[in-house]
Amino acid sequence: MHTIELLINLGIALATNAHAASLLIRELTNFFKEIKKKRKKMGRLFRYGDVIKVAQNPYVFAWVNQVIANGGTVTDAEKAAVRTFVESIDISEFDRLWVFGLGNEIAAKTSIVNPSSTMITGVNGITFISGTGFLSNGVTQYLNTNYQPSTQGVKFTVDSQGFGGYLQSNVPGEYALLGGGSGASSYSGMLPRKLLDKNYCDSSNGSSIIHDNSDSSGLISAERRNSTLVNVYRNGVLLLNPSVPVYGSVTIANLDMYILAYNISNSPFFINPNTVSGCYFSSGSFSQSGFNTAFQTLATTLGFNV
C-alpha cells in the first residue's frame, strides 16, 4: 500500500478496531524504516527539503551523491553555494570543474562536472587545507587531475578550449598554475607570473603566448576562441598582450593535466609553492567575466576569496 492508503486505513481502523489499528501502525513504522534504509544506502543523507532543493539541479545532485559514494561529505551550506554557482554559469561547456575550497578533501577532489570520472590524485602528500584548497611545498607536491584532453576532452578541443584556476597568493617566478603535454606543439597550460611580470600561456600551440601580469593571485584563466585567437584573464579582466601575433592551434594536449605543476612528458616541472582553491577545463565558448563573477561569489560565500 502507498503512504496515503495506509494513513486512510489507519484512521478507519482507529475508529473501529483497536487491533487493526495496531497492525497498521506497525506497517507504517516498517514502511518508513525501509525508506530510511534505502535513502541511506543510496547516500542521500539529506533532510527531505534538502533532497528537493538539490534534486532541482542535476549537476549538484549527481556530484553530492558521487562525493558520498567516494566516502566524502558536503555540508548544507556548501550544497547551496555550489548550486548557486552552477546555476550562474554555462556549465554545459565544461569537461571538469573542481572547487577545492571545501571542508572535505574527497569532495574537493571530485569534479562537479562528470563526477564519476577518476578523482584528482594528490602527489607526494600535498597538503589539503580545509575550507581553502591544496597547498604545495613547491618542490615535490602537486595534483594530477587524471584528465587527458586528447582522450577525454569533449568540450575542450584543439580550436576551442578553456582552463583556469584560483590561486591564493601572488607568487612571482617560474611556477605553473596547471598544464600538460609532450612534443613541440601539444601543450596547454600556464605560468601565471613568470619573469618580468609576464604570464606565459600555451594553448595547443608551438610557442608560449606572453601577456603582462603582475599578480598571480585570484582567478587566472585562458581561452582559445578559434584556431588563431587566445585570450588570458585575471579575475575576468583581459590581460594586455604586448604584441598581437597569430597563435595557430596545432595539436591537443596528450597527457594528464597537472595542477600546481606542468606535466612535460610525464614529469612535473615548474612546481608552484602556492595554494589552489579551484580549477577547470572547458571549451572556449563562454563569458569569462560572467564566470569570474560567479566564482568570486562562491569564494566569498565559502570564505576562501582573496
Side-chain angles (χ1 to χ4, degrees):
M1 286 189 288
H2 295 295
T3 310
I4 294 175
E5 293 176 290
L6 285 168
L7 291 171
I8 291 172
N9 289 335
L10 176 59
I12 295 170
L14 285 170
T16 60
N17 189 307
H19 178 66
S22 176
L23 292 175
L24 278 170
I25 288 171
R26 186 182 305 169
E27 192 169 348
L28 271 171
T29 301
N30 291 335
F31 174 80
F32 284 112
K33 282 182 178 178
E34 285 301 313
I35 287 180
K36 188 174 181 181
K37 284 180 183 177
K38 288 178 181 177
R39 288 174 62 230
K40 190 171 183 179
K41 185 177 180 180
M42 295 173 71
R44 296 168 186 172
L45 305 178
F46 313 117
R47 296 186 297 270
Y48 286 105
D50 294 328
V51 174
I52 293 170
K53 289 176 185 177
V54 176
Q56 288 174 348
N57 188 289
Y59 286 95
V60 180
F61 188 71
W63 171 65
V64 171
N65 277 331
Q66 188 63 52
V67 168
I68 294 171
N70 290 344
T73 59
V74 184
T75 68
D76 290 344
E78 289 169 342
K79 293 171 203 168
V82 170
R83 180 187 172 202
T84 298
F85 169 57
V86 163
E87 292 178 350
S88 301
I89 63 175
D90 190 355
I91 197 167
S92 64
E93 293 300 319
F94 291 78
D95 279 348
R96 299 288 187 274
L97 175 61
W98 297 275
V99 176
F100 299 143
L102 300 171
N104 180 265
E105 184 172 354
I106 291 176
K109 289 179 176 178
T110 304
S111 175
I112 295 169
V113 179
N114 295 313
S116 61
S117 59
T118 304
M119 282 197 304
I120 277 181
T121 302
V123 179
N124 293 323
I126 190 170
T127 301
F128 175 69
I129 303 173
S130 179
T132 304
F134 291 94
L135 168 65
S136 167
N137 61 8
V139 181
T140 60
Q141 299 171 340
Y142 58 95
L143 297 169
N144 183 348
T145 66
N146 296 303
Y147 167 73
Q148 185 177 136
S150 63
T151 58
Q152 297 169 292
V154 177
K155 292 298 182 176
F156 189 111
T157 66
V158 68
D159 288 332
S160 177
Q161 58 183 259
F163 48 85
Y166 194 91
L167 293 172
Q168 287 290 313
S169 302
N170 181 17
V171 182
E174 203 166 15
Y175 302 125
L177 166 59
L178 55 84
S182 65
S185 57
S186 66
Y187 296 104
S188 285
M190 189 189 303
L191 278 65
R193 185 185 171 191
K194 198 179 174 184
L195 304 176
L196 302 176
D197 289 344
K198 301 295 183 182
N199 176 292
Y200 281 63
C201 174
D202 302 315
S203 182
S204 294
N205 48 278
S207 58
S208 292
I209 305 157
I210 302 172
H211 295 77
D212 292 334
N213 184 40
S214 60
D215 194 338
S216 62
S217 66
L219 182 64
I220 311 295
S221 57
E223 63 178 7
R224 176 175 282 282
R225 304 289 291 187
N226 52 48
S227 62
T228 59
L229 177 61
V230 176
N231 294 319
V232 179
Y233 302 81
R234 177 179 178 269
N235 290 336
V237 178
L238 185 66
L239 297 182
L240 175 66
N241 189 325
S243 60
V244 191
V246 174
Y247 302 114
S249 56
V250 185
T251 309
I252 195 167
N254 57 359
L255 293 177
D256 287 351
M257 304 299 280
Y258 291 172
I259 301 172
L260 296 180
Y262 209 119
N263 182 3
I264 300 178
S265 301
N266 288 316
S267 294
F269 286 80
F270 314 126
I271 296 177
N272 194 340
N274 211 324
T275 302
V276 62
S277 299
C279 184
Y280 72 86
F281 296 93
S282 66
S283 75
S285 302
F286 62 90
S287 167
Q288 288 286 334
S289 61
F291 180 81
N292 173 71
T293 298
F295 198 91
Q296 298 291 355
T297 299
L298 174 71
T300 301
T301 301
L302 295 181
F304 63 81
N305 57 302
V306 294

